[in-house]
């Protein structure tokens, strides 16, 4: 890149295609009012993410970039540098490696960080670029959990409960809270507190997979359940019926929304806590994990002026992240965009965002009706749950609006009968539906410990491949486990997806009530890549394992 080091940040972002000149002008205009740095203003406006700025600076300086969301900071490293010193010098110790200390910086010209790390540790610093938002979050988390070993505290409470003649009430209450803190430490999406005959079993869902947490003495069950119910404002005396509640908590400068569900079982009440961890990094379509062909299709689709685009998949498959990546492709200056969600997970400037409020009677259907009177160009309906919402989506799309929404189906083609179940006329559906994107999130193999292995005949059969000399898949990589991935063998997740583009041929098939088999055959003939085929490509690219693809995709 010619004279890149002399170019201003805005110019570099424009040259990389991450920013437009019009958006830069808007950011500069806001910067005059707020006095913030340009980078901070661009992130606040969601024109670029903190991670995208860091990657750009890393490229300029020739420094490797590390995504802290997929990285586990070593306790051995952060023990060597006091938090106040690291924060003041603007770096975070990452890990010790072959006699050197790896550090993360947000400023590629931070000589102070290199000098400080070298002086305190006596080791040669190896510098990596990290994003500003991830720096502060990781700094707070790493030092807090170093100074407050949650797992040790939980095990100490368990031992105290086991050895005490009388149940220590304060200890049980603190134990309930620490179980939640441990979920946050593990970056869990769900915490399961399940009663058994003699114990309480605690599991954490991390990257879509349950991980064992703790066995807790049965005596603590009433106290733990009651503490969570009180926090959620649920009826502690009602143990025969399911209850749903929620509460908010701020932990390490991050606001968490906890959704609570209780259910009576033969051994007592089962509790599941859904952890909603505020807003994450906004991604671009080319960062989600779709293959280049599908990425090009997505960009084309989201530039359309009208029609329905659906994203399908199970809970936790990244549908909302994909929707917001799509919105970043929309010209938010020229087009009026309105969204309704449950809850609002990302915040975008120049987008009118609203959240459902079922207690007040404000649901997706009512929001959709209201949007039609708000002069919309693009409408994002968080989910199509009922017939009324489906009808509003169809009506909006055929009157010249682009409608984005989600649906719970296993693949792209089965979305068609699902919508017909909502009593949508086949002709209306064929006229309005533009595309269906089905997706899953597969775990990515840890780059530090993944190991190569020959593919067995059984694995080929699980993938639906033939066992003959003609198959392309001879070797693959599998999970092993190390300290860098918390001994899971995986670090982070990526999208595996299929896109059904409803062209004229498929519109005709939908209108005449053709079978799903016929529709799928036509889609494949027109170039659709199925979920399994996309998963197989991730295996061939050594991104994920055969086990992971088989676990998630039929």
């Amino acid at each position: 890149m010619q004279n890149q080091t002399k170019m201003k940040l805005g110019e570099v972002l424009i040259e990389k295609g991450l920013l437009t000149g019009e958006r830069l002008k808007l950011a500069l205009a806001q910067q005059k009012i707020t006095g913030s740095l340009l980078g901070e203003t661009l992130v606040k406006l969601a024109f670029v993410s903190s991670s995208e700025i860091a990657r750009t600076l890393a490229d300029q300086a020739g420094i490797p970039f590390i995504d802290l969301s997929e990285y586990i900071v070593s306790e051995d490293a952060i023990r060597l540098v006091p938090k106040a010193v690291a924060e003041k010098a603007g770096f975070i110790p990452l890990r010790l490696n072959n006699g050197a200390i790896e550090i993360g910086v947000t400023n590629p010209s931070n000589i102070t960080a290199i000098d400080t790390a070298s002086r305190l540790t006596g080791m040669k610093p190896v510098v990596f670029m990290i994003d500003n938002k991830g720096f502060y979050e990781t700094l707070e988390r790493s030092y807090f959990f170093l100074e407050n070993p949650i797992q040790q505290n939980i095990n100490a409470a368990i031992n105290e409960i086991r050895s005490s003649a009388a149940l220590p009430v304060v200890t049980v209450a603190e134990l309930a809270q620490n179980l939640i803190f441990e979920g946050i430490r593990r970056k869990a999406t769900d915490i399961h507190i399940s009663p058994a005959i003699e114990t309480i079993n605690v599991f954490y869902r991390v990257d879509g997979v349950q991980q064992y947490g703790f066995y807790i003495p049965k005596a603590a069950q009433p106290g733990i359940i009651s503490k969570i119910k009180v926090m959620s404002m649920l009826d502690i005396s009602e143990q025969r019926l399911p209850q749903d509640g929620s509460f908010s908590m701020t932990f390490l400068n991050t606001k968490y929304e906890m959704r609570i569900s209780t259910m009576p079982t033969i051994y007592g009440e089962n509790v599941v806590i859904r952890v909603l961890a505020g807003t994450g990094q906004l991604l671009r379509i080319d960062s989600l994990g779709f293959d280049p062909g599908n990425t090009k299709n997505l960009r084309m689709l989201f530039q359309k002026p009208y029609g329905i685009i659906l994203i399908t998949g199970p809970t936790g498959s990244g549908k909302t992240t994909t929707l917001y990546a799509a919105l970043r492709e929309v010209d938010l200056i020229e087009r009026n965009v309105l969204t309704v969600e449950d809850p609002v997970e990302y915040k975008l400037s120049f987008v009118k965002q609203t959240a459902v409020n079922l207690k007040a009677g404000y649901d997706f259907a009512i929001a959709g009706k209201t949007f039609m009177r708000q002069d919309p160009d693009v409408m994002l309906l968080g989910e199509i749950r009922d017939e009324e919402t489906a009808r509003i989506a169809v009506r909006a799309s055929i009157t010249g609006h682009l409608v984005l929404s989600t649906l719970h189906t296993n693949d792209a083609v089965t979305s068609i009968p699902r919508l017909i179940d909502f009593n949508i006329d086949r002709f209306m559906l064929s006229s309005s539906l533009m595309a269906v994107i089905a997706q899953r999130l597969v775990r990515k193999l840890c780059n530090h410990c993944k190991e190569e292995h020959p593919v067995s005949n059984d694995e080929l059969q699980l993938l639906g491949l033939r066992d003959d000399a003609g198959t392309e898949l001879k070797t693959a990589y599998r999970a092993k486990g190390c300290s860098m991935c918390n001994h899971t063998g995986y670090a982070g997740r990526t999208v595996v997806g299929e896109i059904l583009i409803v062209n004229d041929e498929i519109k005709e098939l939908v209108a005449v009530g053709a079978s799903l088999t016929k529709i799928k055959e036509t889609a494949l003939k027109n170039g659709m890549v199925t979920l399994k085929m996309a998963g197989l490509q991730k295996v061939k690219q050594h991104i994920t394992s055969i086990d992971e693809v088989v676990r998630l995709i039929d």
Side-chain angles (χ1 to χ4, degrees):
M1 189 178 295
Q2 187 177 6
N3 296 326
Q4 189 168 323
T5 55
K6 296 181 181 179
M7 295 174 68
K8 294 180 180 180
L9 176 62
E11 295 171 344
V12 177
L13 291 170
I14 289 173
E15 186 168 307
K16 282 184 166 290
L18 298 172
L19 187 66
T20 64
E22 186 178 15
R23 290 189 175 189
L24 177 59
K25 289 179 183 178
L26 286 171
L28 290 171
Q30 176 157 323
Q31 185 190 19
K32 288 181 181 179
I33 303 297
T34 63
S36 300
L37 295 173
L38 177 59
E40 293 176 2
T41 304
L42 290 169
V43 172
K44 287 178 182 176
L45 289 171
F47 288 164
V48 294
S49 69
S50 178
S51 176
E52 288 164 349
I53 289 178
R55 288 178 190 271
T56 300
L57 294 174
D59 287 345
Q60 280 187 289
I63 298 174
F65 173 82
I66 281 182
D67 184 353
L68 287 176
S69 67
E70 300 178 359
Y71 193 93
I72 295 179
V73 175
S74 165
E75 288 189 359
D76 292 337
I78 59 176
R79 280 195 180 97
L80 298 177
V81 183
K83 178 187 175 186
V85 174
E87 189 168 12
K88 184 177 180 181
F91 76 97
I92 182 169
L94 298 173
R95 69 167 181 152
L96 308 179
N97 187 21
N98 295 326
I101 181 167
E102 297 178 353
I103 64 172
V105 299
T106 58
N107 181 355
S109 304
N110 190 348
I111 304 299
T112 303
I114 297 173
D115 291 342
T116 303
S118 177
R119 176 172 50 82
L120 287 179
T121 66
M123 300 177 186
K124 178 185 176 181
V126 179
V127 180
F128 291 87
M129 194 72 189
I130 57 178
D131 71 278
N132 200 53
K133 183 174 185 289
F135 168 72
Y136 287 106
E137 289 181 353
T138 305
L139 188 78
E140 291 294 331
R141 287 174 61 93
S142 299
Y143 281 98
F144 176 86
F145 288 119
L146 178 68
E147 297 162 5
N148 301 273
I150 299 298
Q151 288 181 312
Q152 293 180 27
N153 294 343
I154 291 173
N155 287 324
I158 291 171
N159 290 333
E160 183 180 350
I161 293 167
R162 288 178 57 198
S163 60
S164 299
L167 189 67
V169 177
V170 175
T171 300
V172 173
E174 290 178 350
L175 175 58
Q177 189 154 296
N178 279 334
L179 291 174
I180 296 173
F181 289 161
E182 174 65 7
I184 293 173
R185 187 190 74 81
R186 296 192 187 205
K187 300 180 182 179
T189 56
D190 299 89
I191 303 169
H192 294 251
I193 301 174
S194 306
I197 298 176
E198 299 178 321
T199 60
I200 307 170
N201 303 323
V202 181
F203 288 87
Y204 298 94
R205 187 174 295 278
V206 180
D207 286 341
V209 178
Q210 280 198 165
Q211 295 180 357
Y212 161 74
F214 305 94
Y215 282 121
I216 297 174
K218 186 76 169 178
Q221 179 176 326
I224 291 174
I225 303 300
S226 294
K227 172 66 175 177
I228 294 171
K229 281 186 168 183
V230 168
M231 294 168 71
S232 312
M233 300 182 70
L234 298 177
D235 185 354
I236 61 173
S237 65
E238 180 56 76
Q239 301 177 11
R240 301 165 300 172
L241 296 172
Q243 295 187 67
D244 293 317
S246 63
F247 66 90
S248 301
M249 63 180 291
T250 300
F251 182 66
L252 301 178
N253 300 319
T254 299
K255 186 177 181 181
Y256 293 86
E257 296 289 339
M258 305 291 179
R259 302 285 180 89
I260 314 299
S261 174
T262 71
M263 180 184 73
T265 73
I266 57 175
Y267 299 121
E269 287 184 283
N270 189 79
V271 175
V272 175
I273 305 173
R274 167 62 56 89
V275 183
L276 300 173
T279 58
Q281 290 270 16
L282 280 167
L283 299 178
R284 293 185 183 272
I285 281 180
D286 52 11
S287 301
L288 295 174
F290 289 97
D291 64 67
N294 276 338
T295 299
K296 182 179 178 180
N297 286 334
L298 288 172
R299 283 212 160 93
M300 175 269 296
L301 287 169
F302 292 118
Q303 296 301 321
K304 297 289 186 181
Y306 56 84
I308 298 175
I309 301 176
L310 292 176
I311 302 180
T312 76
T315 301
S317 59
K319 297 188 295 294
T320 302
T321 301
T322 300
L323 280 175
Y324 271 88
L327 285 183
R328 295 187 73 186
E329 297 295 318
V330 174
D331 189 334
L332 301 178
I333 312 300
E334 294 186 355
R335 304 179 77 181
N336 184 26
V337 181
L338 300 100
T339 77
V340 56
E341 303 157 74
D342 183 21
V344 175
E345 294 187 34
Y346 299 93
K347 295 177 182 175
L348 269 180
S349 295
F350 306 107
V351 175
K352 294 77 177 174
Q353 296 174 274
T354 180
V356 299
N357 187 335
L358 298 180
K359 290 183 179 178
Y362 184 63
D363 58 15
F364 289 117
I366 291 176
K369 289 179 181 177
T370 304
F371 286 178
M372 294 294 287
R373 298 189 290 272
Q374 289 281 315
D375 185 30
D377 293 298
V378 182
M379 296 166 49
L380 188 158
L381 305 177
E383 183 181 345
I384 294 179
R385 296 178 178 174
D386 52 44
E387 181 178 327
E388 188 175 6
T389 309
R391 289 182 178 278
I392 289 169
V394 170
R395 192 178 307 124
S397 68
I398 62 177
T399 53
H401 306 92
L402 181 63
V403 180
L404 313 177
S405 192
T406 68
L407 200 64
H408 287 284
T409 59
N410 288 327
D411 58 21
V413 174
T414 53
S415 298
I416 294 170
R418 181 82 176 99
L419 289 169
I420 291 171
D421 284 345
F422 287 134
N423 292 321
I424 302 298
D425 179 77
R426 287 183 179 276
F427 178 76
M428 294 282 283
L429 179 59
S430 67
S431 302
S432 59
L433 187 62
M434 188 162 54
V436 183
I437 303 152
Q439 67 178 59
R440 302 286 188 277
L441 289 179
V442 296
R443 292 180 294 171
K444 296 192 292 186
L445 287 164
C446 172
N447 286 324
H448 297 276
C449 65
K450 65 183 180 183
E451 59 181 13
E452 192 173 11
H453 71 98
V455 177
S456 68
N457 296 339
D458 289 343
E459 288 174 320
L460 288 174
Q461 289 176 6
L462 286 171
L463 289 170
L465 300 176
R466 298 190 315 276
D467 176 22
D468 59 30
T471 182
E472 297 178 14
L473 194 62
K474 300 295 185 182
T475 63
Y477 279 77
R478 61 188 172 199
K480 183 179 179 183
C482 67
S483 59
M484 295 300 295
C485 59
N486 203 22
H487 303 284
T488 64
Y490 297 93
R493 291 192 287 178
T494 187
V495 162
V496 168
E498 67 180 21
I499 302 179
L500 170 66
I501 296 177
V502 184
N503 58 16
D504 290 341
E505 191 175 1
I506 291 179
K507 285 180 185 291
E508 181 65 26
L509 293 174
V510 173
V512 299
S515 68
L516 291 185
T517 302
K518 179 63 175 175
I519 294 173
K520 187 171 184 178
E521 286 175 353
T522 304
L524 290 171
K525 185 185 71 175
N526 292 334
M528 184 180 80
V529 178
T530 66
L531 283 168
K532 181 169 283 189
M533 292 162 63
L536 181 59
Q537 286 300 317
K538 300 286 186 187
V539 172
K540 290 179 178 179
Q541 294 164 3
H542 307 155
I543 294 172
T544 193
S545 66
I546 292 174
D547 289 342
E548 185 69 0
V549 171
V550 170
R551 181 180 71 85
L552 282 171
I553 302 169
D554 183 14

